[in-house]
Amino acid sequence: MIGRLRCAVLDCPDARELALFYQGLLGGEVECPDPALAVGEGSAVLCDEGGPVLAFQSVADHRPPVWGAPEQQFHLDVRVEDPAAAHAAVLALGATPLDGGEAFSWRVYADPAGHPFRLVRP
């Protein structure tokens, strides 16, 4: 092993806005008190005590990925117990549906900055 993953960083137009979206989706604390994760102006961090950390970086020329396009590099999977309730909740937070449906074991959405994520059944 060379190292340990510190966090995933998502570029976006507004770091704090996107951090608050993911806080609504995943829980956790925006601007966690760990000084090792302090990232400064134009950035925000979402921390969760037993799970991964996401960081967000504001960039002026952010171009969201296109779901299914060859240049798309990754997406986040979020496990949910009640897909119908989770669907309504992420729409209320500002997500946009991209793919999937009742016949699927997952649904794809874009966050407010256009990053894809999936709600998956356990």
Side-chain angles (χ1 to χ4, degrees), residues 30-51:
V30 175
E31 302 304 339
C32 55
D34 185 344
L37 295 172
V39 289
E41 187 80 22
S43 298
V45 177
L46 177 64
C47 299
D48 185 354
E49 280 189 33

Side-chain angles (χ1 to χ4, degrees), residues 14-110:
D14 185 322
R16 180 150 181 83
E17 177 182 302
L18 197 57
L20 292 171
F21 170 85
Y22 278 100
Q23 181 183 38
L25 177 62
L26 303 171
E29 182 181 349
V30 175
E31 302 304 339
C32 55
D34 185 344
L37 295 172
V39 289
E41 187 80 22
S43 298
V45 177
L46 177 64
C47 299
D48 185 354
E49 280 189 33
V53 174
L54 293 175
F56 308 91
Q57 178 175 310
S58 297
V59 294
D61 60 348
H62 172 69
R63 288 175 291 161
V66 176
W67 176 252
E71 60 274 4
Q72 178 195 323
Q73 298 297 309
F74 76 98
H75 64 271
L76 302 173
D77 277 357
V78 178
R79 188 172 57 206
V80 297
E81 295 297 323
D82 183 345
H87 172 77
V90 297
L91 294 181
L93 287 173
T96 303
L98 297 178
D99 196 5
E102 292 305 317
F104 294 90
S105 61
W106 46 264
R107 286 185 174 178
V108 183
Y109 301 84

